[in-house]
Amino acid sequence: MNVGAWLLWGFVGTLVLTTLLAGAQSLRLTRMNIPYLLGTMLTADRDRALVLGFFAHLANGWFFSLLYVAAFHAWGAATPLLGMATGFVHASFVLVAGLPILPSIHPRMAGAYAGPTEMRQLEPPGFLGLHYGFQTPLAAYVAHLVYGAILGGFYPL
């Protein structure tokens, strides 16, 4: 495994993915803000949540890029198309399994079947993140496809 390339392209891929998701939110394609959601798991301070969440998302992106690299080594190939296929699976997992269980582990998010409380005020994302807008799945897929293409296209085997 090429650790330097993994660290570099995992970082670049995560920055691009985060930028695409932030851009989608700024363009009002989605209300989902993953760094904010992650940060509010760690602190109730909204300003601090954005900073902590950004670094948590960066760490998650690096971790997931390690899984992509492991898959590339197992397949004996790293191409943009393989990266995009892996990104599709990754986004599918996040949208179908990850986001719906978030209220169960997030201390400040209302549940899917229980409304908000004084402590739990964030809206749950729901299946495919659709509570954050009907274009949320599209934004998530595009960002993860680009993330995978970067990793598959630039990680040297």
Side-chain angles (χ1 to χ4, degrees), residues 36-124:
Y36 182 73
L37 289 176
L38 291 173
T40 54
M41 290 178 79
L42 305 171
T43 181
D45 183 318
R46 291 176 177 258
D47 292 328
R48 194 171 184 161
L50 284 171
V51 174
L52 292 174
F54 173 80
F55 287 109
H57 194 245
L58 184 62
N60 286 343
W62 256 328
F63 170 74
F64 278 100
S65 70
L66 183 60
L67 297 178
Y68 282 59
V69 166
F72 297 150
H73 279 280
W75 296 325
T79 67
L81 191 57
L82 279 175
M84 290 173 74
T86 308
F88 181 84
V89 171
H90 182 183
S92 297
F93 174 79
V94 167
L95 291 167
V96 173
L99 289 179
I101 66 166
L102 196 55
S104 301
I105 59 174
H106 198 301
R108 291 171 186 80
M109 184 173 285
Y113 303 106
T117 67
E118 189 173 311
M119 176 69 171
R120 294 178 171 264
Q121 296 181 354
L122 295 175
E123 180 181 16

Side-chain angles (χ1 to χ4, degrees), residues 16 76 136:
V16 171
T136 297

Side-chain angles (χ1 to χ4, degrees), residues 2 29 56 59 80 132 134 139 151:
N2 185 330
L29 299 175
Y132 294 154
F134 75 94
L151 289 169

